[in-house]
Amino acid sequence: MTAQESARSLIPRAARDFGNRVHDVPPDGWDAPTPCTEWCVRDLLNHLVGEHLWAPHLLRGETVEQVGDRYDGDVLGAEPVAAWDAAIAASLAAWEETPDDATVHLSFGDTSVDEYAEQMLTDLAVHAWDLARGAGLEARLDPDVVRHVWGYASVRVPEWQGSSMLAPPVRTQSDDLQDQLIALVGRHP
């Protein structure tokens, strides 16, 4: 990873990686369980589509209250792949337009656009692995994204423990950084 590769600059790569997997989900794979025990493949995609439907609003400076409940429930409809494609296109366009000094109003308070990018990149990477595992697809992630997310998550995960955001870390003997990242966020590599 070069010094120029920020979370913001890696989001399009992680989105493409996730999107390729979405397009490869077999027709009978949408109800398959994922490592996120409460979600099947379709539920996991619904979560990510919802996040990326929210992103343009939040990146424009809207508050959670202003966005309201418009993205609650099923945001995939009859065409989950098309829903992903539309949501990520709008999200990536919003990331391109957002100034570096923007403030994002999240449910837990205001944060910098850079911190929001770190969170979104982490979610894209980890859930790409979850989606791949659930749908029976190749689970190897972009190594630059993994290195970046590891650097962020290895500091943040201890702060998040005890919240409902993720399961406790699991032990791994693997020297592979992707395996270490996946174990850190509570999954068995």
Side-chain angles (χ1 to χ4, degrees), residues 27 30 42 45-46 74-84:
W30 293 104
R42 183 181 169 84
L45 180 59
N46 192 69
D74 179 17
V75 294
L76 300 181
E79 298 291 334
V81 175
W84 165 257

Side-chain angles (χ1 to χ4, degrees), residues 53-68 70-71 102-107 109-110 116:
L53 289 170
W54 272 83
H57 299 280
L58 297 175
L59 291 169
R60 283 193 301 264
E62 292 178 46
T63 65
V64 171
E65 293 78 22
Q66 288 171 316
V67 178
R70 71 182 85 177
Y71 302 122
T103 298
V104 182
H105 309 291
L106 301 176
S107 60
D110 291 353
Y116 183 48

Side-chain angles (χ1 to χ4, degrees), residues 129 133 140 150 168-189:
W129 186 87
R133 280 297 178 95
R140 181 56 51 190
W150 170 258
V170 299
R171 291 179 186 255
T172 182
Q173 299 301 317
S174 176
D175 291 333
D176 181 84
L177 191 59
Q178 178 174 309
D179 289 349
Q180 292 174 13
L181 172 63
I182 295 305
L184 179 68
V185 295
R187 287 135 171 96
H188 294 276

Side-chain angles (χ1 to χ4, degrees), residues 90-123:
S91 178
L92 291 175
W95 282 103
E96 283 285 322
E97 297 166 3
T98 301
D100 291 338
D101 62 349
T103 298
V104 182
H105 309 291
L106 301 176
S107 60
F108 58 82
D110 291 353
T111 192
S112 70
V113 71
D114 290 337
E115 175 60 23
Y116 183 48
E118 295 286 1
Q119 293 171 17
M120 293 292 276
L121 180 65
T122 300
D123 229 32

Side-chain angles (χ1 to χ4, degrees), residues 7 11 18 32 46 53 69 79 87 89 105 124 154 160 177:
I11 284 174
F18 186 88
N46 192 69
L53 289 170
D69 62 1
E79 298 291 334
H105 309 291
L124 278 167
S154 63
W160 297 335
L177 191 59

